[in-house]
Amino acid sequence: MANIIKVGEKAPDFKLQDQSEKEISLSLFKGKKVLLSWHPLAWTAVCTDQMRSLERNFKQFEEKNTVVLGLSIDSQPSKSVWARVLCLNNIKILADFNPLGEVSRKYGIFREDRGSSERANILIDENGMVIWAKLYEIHTLPDVAEILQQL
């Protein structure tokens, strides 16, 4: 497993495109908490369930002043089509594609052997500091209730 960023560290800023080709940076959300929810590859069963679960619970995150960002190494066009297929209307899913895995590397969760990120959730506070980070086994669906408890 990877060497995930530690609680108390400053979260590295980034700029990535979302499913609508909009450039998203972490610094856009200063004053809000941010959940970075990494899934290894779009179009796979557990990753699909992970993003749908976040979408279903969007209101609960919003009530806790938290922005949800899903990330993977898939390209922006792939993320765009996948978001439409999954009916992801609230959460943003970002393409950590070019250069491949650059952001997941900064957060310590890129797997060279697989060419993708780990499955992980990282919570960042209103000031850009990591307040919770967890890696999951590749086939394990993260528990949204556990994430919400951390907020």
Side-chain angles (χ1 to χ4, degrees):
M1 281 219 168
N3 190 15
I4 193 169
I5 193 168
K6 305 282 187 276
V7 169
E9 290 185 29
K10 180 81 172 158
D13 200 7
F14 56 80
K15 289 182 182 174
L16 296 173
Q17 283 193 333
D18 73 2
Q19 68 264 38
S20 302
E21 293 186 71
K22 183 177 177 188
E23 188 173 85
I24 302 295
S25 65
L26 183 60
S27 56
L28 284 175
F29 304 110
K30 189 166 175 66
K32 293 184 177 275
K33 293 178 185 147
V34 178
L35 170 63
L36 302 179
S37 188
W38 264 280
H39 51 284
L41 292 169
W43 303 102
T44 59
V46 178
C47 297
T48 294
D49 291 344
Q50 181 178 345
M51 293 303 105
R52 282 182 170 159
S53 178
L54 294 172
E55 179 74 16
R56 274 193 310 275
N57 290 280
F58 174 77
K59 283 284 185 208
Q60 290 182 67
F61 284 104
E62 191 174 55
E63 289 166 4
K64 293 179 180 280
N65 194 37
T66 304
V67 173
V68 176
L69 302 175
L71 299 95
S72 73
I73 54 89
D74 300 283
S75 68
Q76 188 283 327
S78 176
K79 297 291 244 188
S80 180
V81 174
W82 194 50
R84 283 196 305 273
V85 168
L86 298 183
C87 299
L88 301 179
N89 300 313
N90 296 298
I91 68 169
K92 298 185 180 307
I93 55 173
L94 310 181
D96 188 13
F97 179 70
N98 188 18
L100 185 71
E102 179 179 54
V103 176
S104 55
R105 282 182 174 90
K106 288 180 182 179
Y107 283 82
I109 59 168
F110 188 79
R111 288 191 50 174
E112 294 291 340
D113 63 327
R114 295 178 64 100
S116 67
S117 73
E118 295 278 5
R119 187 175 313 283
N121 281 307
I122 298 171
L123 282 171
I124 300 163
D125 74 8
E126 297 86 346
N127 298 308
M129 303 301 288
V130 175
I131 57 173
W132 184 73
K134 183 172 181 178
L135 287 172
Y136 301 84
E137 291 298 324
I138 207 76
H139 298 292
T140 299
L141 178 65
D143 180 2
V144 171
E146 178 187 32
I147 301 165
L148 288 165
Q149 283 177 344
Q150 304 302 316
L151 299 168

